[in-house]
Amino acid sequence: MPAASTRRVPAWLVPAAIVLVALVLLVVSVVGGDDEGAAQQRAATAPSDAPVADVVEPEQQTLEMARREEGDALAYGPVDAPVTLVVYNDFQCPFCAVWAKDTEPTMMEHADAGDLRIEWRDINAFGPVSVRAAQAAFAAGQQDAYVEYHHALFEGGEKRPADELTDEALIALAGELGLDVERFTADLDSPEVAAGVQANVDEAAAIGVYSTPAFLVGGTPILGAQPTEVFVQAYEEALAKAQG
């Protein structure tokens, strides 16, 4: 598995809403701070040939972290799909569970249609229990059952309590899903699975993702379990851009 990118994106940690509010307050302070007479006086005394500043829209920052690896156990959809969705997820995160129930099915429909590739990165925002659940899901992926295991851990849009994420419970879940339990148990404690999960944790840390859920849709950051419409719009915009 490739090493995580060391590119840091400070804007990733600043929700778009905060930036928007700051801009609005700035405009209000500049425009609202002058009375109408002062504004008219400036207009009257300004040279007719005074240059007018161009209004430059802030550029949307993007960060492409999709791996597009053939055989990636934690991915769904064509490797060459025009749009990618990277999901930074934690199995102890209640909002991740909500997103998995409310929005993930819609995004998977786009993956089924061939226009989207989803890549999950299960990290440890909530500590050791999260790590063990991530290792279990990764181990399920070794039997091509990551998606099924992922969905089972978020069944009904709810995260499982920590006492249902013990080794015994995680192994029992693998049996319920029809996996080879002996192989799953061995993979759960394998260095390869531990390294795979750690690589995802390191990647998230490298780009400043310390809370979940967090997403990259076509490289564009989205923070939190936003409404499904937000993701659909971001996907459609990325698809239109990819198609030129």
Side-chain angles (χ1 to χ4, degrees):
M1 183 167 293
S5 170
T6 57
R7 292 173 292 174
R8 293 186 178 275
V9 183
W12 174 269
L13 299 177
V14 183
I18 296 177
V19 176
L20 179 59
V21 170
L23 291 174
V24 171
L25 290 176
L26 178 61
V27 172
V28 170
S29 67
V30 172
V31 177
D34 297 310
D35 59 29
E36 184 178 355
Q40 291 176 346
Q41 182 178 3
R42 284 199 306 274
T45 57
S48 60
D49 58 349
V52 178
D54 293 331
V55 176
V56 179
E57 294 294 331
E59 183 180 354
Q60 174 65 60
Q61 199 159 25
T62 60
L63 180 64
E64 184 54 67
M65 300 301 294
R67 296 168 184 166
R68 293 184 179 274
E69 294 178 349
E70 290 283 359
D72 186 344
L74 275 64
Y76 187 83
V79 69
D80 59 349
V83 181
T84 58
L85 166 60
V86 180
V87 182
Y88 295 95
N89 174 83
D90 189 300
F91 289 115
Q92 281 287 277
C93 167
F95 298 106
C96 295
V98 170
W99 188 87
K101 174 179 178 291
D102 293 346
T103 302
E104 194 170 83
T106 298
M107 306 313 291
M108 292 185 74
E109 289 176 5
H110 293 298
D112 288 334
D115 292 329
L116 181 68
R117 178 173 175 83
I118 305 172
E119 298 183 4
W120 287 272
R121 312 277 196 265
D122 299 324
I123 62 175
N124 65 344
F126 289 83
V129 174
S130 299
V131 173
R132 201 54 169 165
Q135 290 171 342
F138 202 105
Q142 305 312 295
Q143 300 185 48
D144 297 322
Y146 171 81
V147 172
E148 292 81 0
Y149 204 93
H150 166 93
H151 287 165
L153 288 177
F154 283 147
E155 186 175 5
E158 300 283 344
K159 71 178 184 68
R160 293 190 170 209
D163 61 5
E164 293 184 17
L165 296 175
T166 63
D167 282 9
E168 293 76 10
L170 294 169
I171 292 169
L173 178 58
E176 293 170 12
L177 295 175
L179 302 185
D180 181 332
V181 172
E182 184 176 352
R183 178 183 175 187
F184 176 88
T185 303
D187 286 338
L188 184 58
D189 288 320
S190 71
E192 292 78 14
V193 165
V197 170
Q198 188 59 48
N200 291 334
V201 172
D202 292 343
E203 177 184 297
I207 62 173
V209 176
Y210 296 102
S211 62
T212 53
F215 310 87
L216 293 167
V217 182
T220 299
I222 297 178
L223 302 178
Q226 304 291 333
T228 300
E229 293 76 14
V230 172
F231 291 89
V232 170
Q233 180 178 350
Y235 154 77
E236 290 176 346
E237 290 174 355
L239 181 60
K241 181 178 180 180
Q243 293 176 338

